[in-house]
Amino acid sequence: MKQLLFLFFFIISFGLQVPHAAIIGVPELIILLIVGFIAIAAVVGFVFLFLYLVKKRKHVQNEK
């Protein structure tokens, strides 16, 4: 039931975004896509950096 509710809200929100995207135009969409990809890349980069530092810290503690 939760999945159906989530899917329903996703379809509604996506349906509201499509007409808005058609109104603002192509250059703005391209800028939004680029900024979105950069934001996602930054978040993923911070997550991988955090995981790398945690693994490195465990490795250093094992050597003591």
Side-chain angles (χ1 to χ4, degrees):
M1 184 64 187
K2 288 181 184 178
Q3 291 90 358
L4 291 175
L5 191 60
F6 179 75
L7 181 63
F8 176 71
F9 283 118
F10 176 76
I11 291 171
I12 294 294
S13 63
F14 186 73
L16 292 175
Q17 292 298 320
V18 169
H20 182 262
I23 292 172
I24 64 173
V26 175
E28 289 84 1
L29 284 177
I30 293 172
I31 292 171
L32 286 173
L33 284 173
I34 291 171
V35 170
F37 284 135
I38 291 171
I40 291 171
V43 170
V44 169
F46 281 125
V47 168
F48 280 130
L49 177 64
F50 178 74
L51 292 174
Y52 170 75
L53 292 175
V54 167
K55 285 182 183 179
K56 188 174 181 180
R57 183 173 180 233
K58 286 182 182 177
H59 181 67
V60 170
Q61 287 179 349
N62 289 339
E63 290 180 355
K64 288 185 178 180

